[in-house]
Amino acid sequence: MNKKIIVALSLIWVGSQAIAQNVPEKYLREMDKISNTYTTDMRQFLRSLPNSTVQFNPQQKNQYCSIVAIYVDDFYQLIDQNRASLPFSYTNMTKQDVIVQVKKSKEMQLLSRYHIECDLNQVK
């Protein structure tokens, strides 16, 4: 039984390594750049909010939604430009799929207490 588990885990690891090696390094660098820009922009935005903030004013909502929309658009464009060389799970990814992933992220869940709805379907 233990031998089967070790073999299964080994196959999973080898498979994940093969997939990781098939992802172009340029894609990984660009994704890292997009993520870092998003993280930096979001941190700056959140630090600019007073501690007493319980709801965003219209300007804060616009700023927040703009940061998230840029992230979604950049992430989707990167996927779209690299579809042919990405793992299968990304080849059919739509912008709506990216939006759903972003909305499910821990960061977005933490910010849900502000009850902000951004229209992320709009094209830049």
Side-chain angles (χ1 to χ4, degrees):
M1 183 70 159
N2 287 339
K3 200 174 197 180
K4 288 181 183 179
I5 293 173
I6 291 171
V7 169
L9 290 175
S10 296
L11 289 174
I12 291 170
W13 183 80
V14 168
S16 67
Q17 292 301 309
I19 289 172
Q21 290 174 359
N22 286 334
V23 175
E25 192 171 320
K26 182 181 177 190
Y27 171 84
L28 295 174
R29 282 194 311 270
E30 287 297 317
M31 190 66 233
D32 194 41
K33 182 180 171 184
I34 291 167
S35 295
N36 287 337
T37 299
Y38 168 77
T39 300
T40 300
D41 291 349
M42 191 57 74
R43 280 187 186 147
Q44 288 175 347
F45 168 71
L46 294 173
R47 286 182 183 146
S48 74
L49 298 175
N51 289 339
S52 60
T53 301
V54 291
Q55 187 173 355
F56 287 179
N57 65 35
Q59 181 183 4
Q60 291 166 331
K61 180 184 176 189
N62 286 340
Q63 190 176 358
Y64 171 80
C65 289
S66 176
I67 292 168
V68 176
I70 289 168
Y71 177 69
V72 166
D73 288 341
D74 289 350
F75 184 27
Y76 178 71
Q77 286 176 16
L78 183 63
I79 290 171
D80 201 37
Q81 293 165 359
N82 292 278
R83 274 186 204 284
S85 55
L86 293 175
F88 181 74
S89 60
Y90 285 85
T91 57
N92 294 324
M93 194 171 243
T94 65
K95 185 172 180 183
Q96 189 60 40
D97 294 329
V98 173
I99 291 168
V100 168
Q101 268 193 353
V102 169
K103 285 185 174 184
K104 286 182 178 179
S105 71
K106 287 182 183 179
E107 295 84 4
M108 294 295 278
Q109 296 303 311
L110 290 172
L111 294 171
S112 67
R113 67 181 178 179
Y114 294 110
H115 307 289
I116 307 157
E117 278 298 318
C118 302
D119 184 3
L120 300 174
N121 291 309
Q122 292 179 343
V123 178
K124 276 205 288 191

